[in-house]
Amino acid sequence: MKFCGTSSRRPAFALRATAGHVRLRRGHALGHRGVPHSIGAGAIVTLALVAWLAATRRIQRTRQALLRTALLVLSLWTSHGVTDAMTTGGRPVMLFFPLTTARVFLQPRII
């Protein structure tokens, strides 16, 4: 098995040791505009981040502070997927994962 596309039979992902990141084949569910752009992934990241922030006391543990932080993180995460779905180029976005694996573009596509 060779890494970084040096073989015609590539694995589903390849580790690039020099850059320290994972490369995925075009159109892979975990690739760009895939699951990481979904609202579901945003909810999971939001819960994890707010829990970590509260556990390390980086934010107050009041209901209002936790809710405000969660809404901010979720809106930032979701807005990235929504704006990517409004672009005129590239692949559609897996915005509604895990409800569906369909990739969508939103109208109007103005960006």
Side-chain angles (χ1 to χ4, degrees):
M1 175 185 301
K2 295 183 179 182
F3 293 104
C4 299
T6 57
S7 171
S8 61
R9 296 180 62 188
R10 287 187 254 176
F13 65 91
L15 296 176
R16 179 182 278 179
T18 56
H21 69 278
V22 175
R23 287 186 62 193
L24 300 168
R25 279 190 273 175
R26 181 174 170 85
H28 193 278
L30 294 177
H32 189 247
R33 296 186 175 200
V35 173
H37 279 62
S38 71
I39 298 169
I44 292 169
V45 168
T46 298
L47 289 174
L49 183 61
V50 170
W52 177 77
L53 289 171
T56 58
R57 299 193 184 273
R58 295 177 190 267
I59 58 173
Q60 294 177 356
R61 291 183 177 183
T62 65
R63 183 176 297 177
Q64 183 181 7
L66 295 173
L67 183 60
R68 186 182 313 140
T69 305
L71 288 174
L72 175 67
V73 172
L74 185 61
S75 65
L76 291 172
W77 189 281
T78 305
S79 68
H80 179 82
V82 169
T83 53
D84 262 7
M86 295 174 69
T87 60
T88 57
R91 296 187 50 81
V93 178
M94 220 183 246
L95 194 60
F96 301 109
F97 183 86
L99 301 176
T100 179
T101 58
R103 292 178 177 261
V104 296
F105 276 124
L106 298 178
Q107 297 296 332
R109 292 175 58 190
I110 55 176
I111 301 172

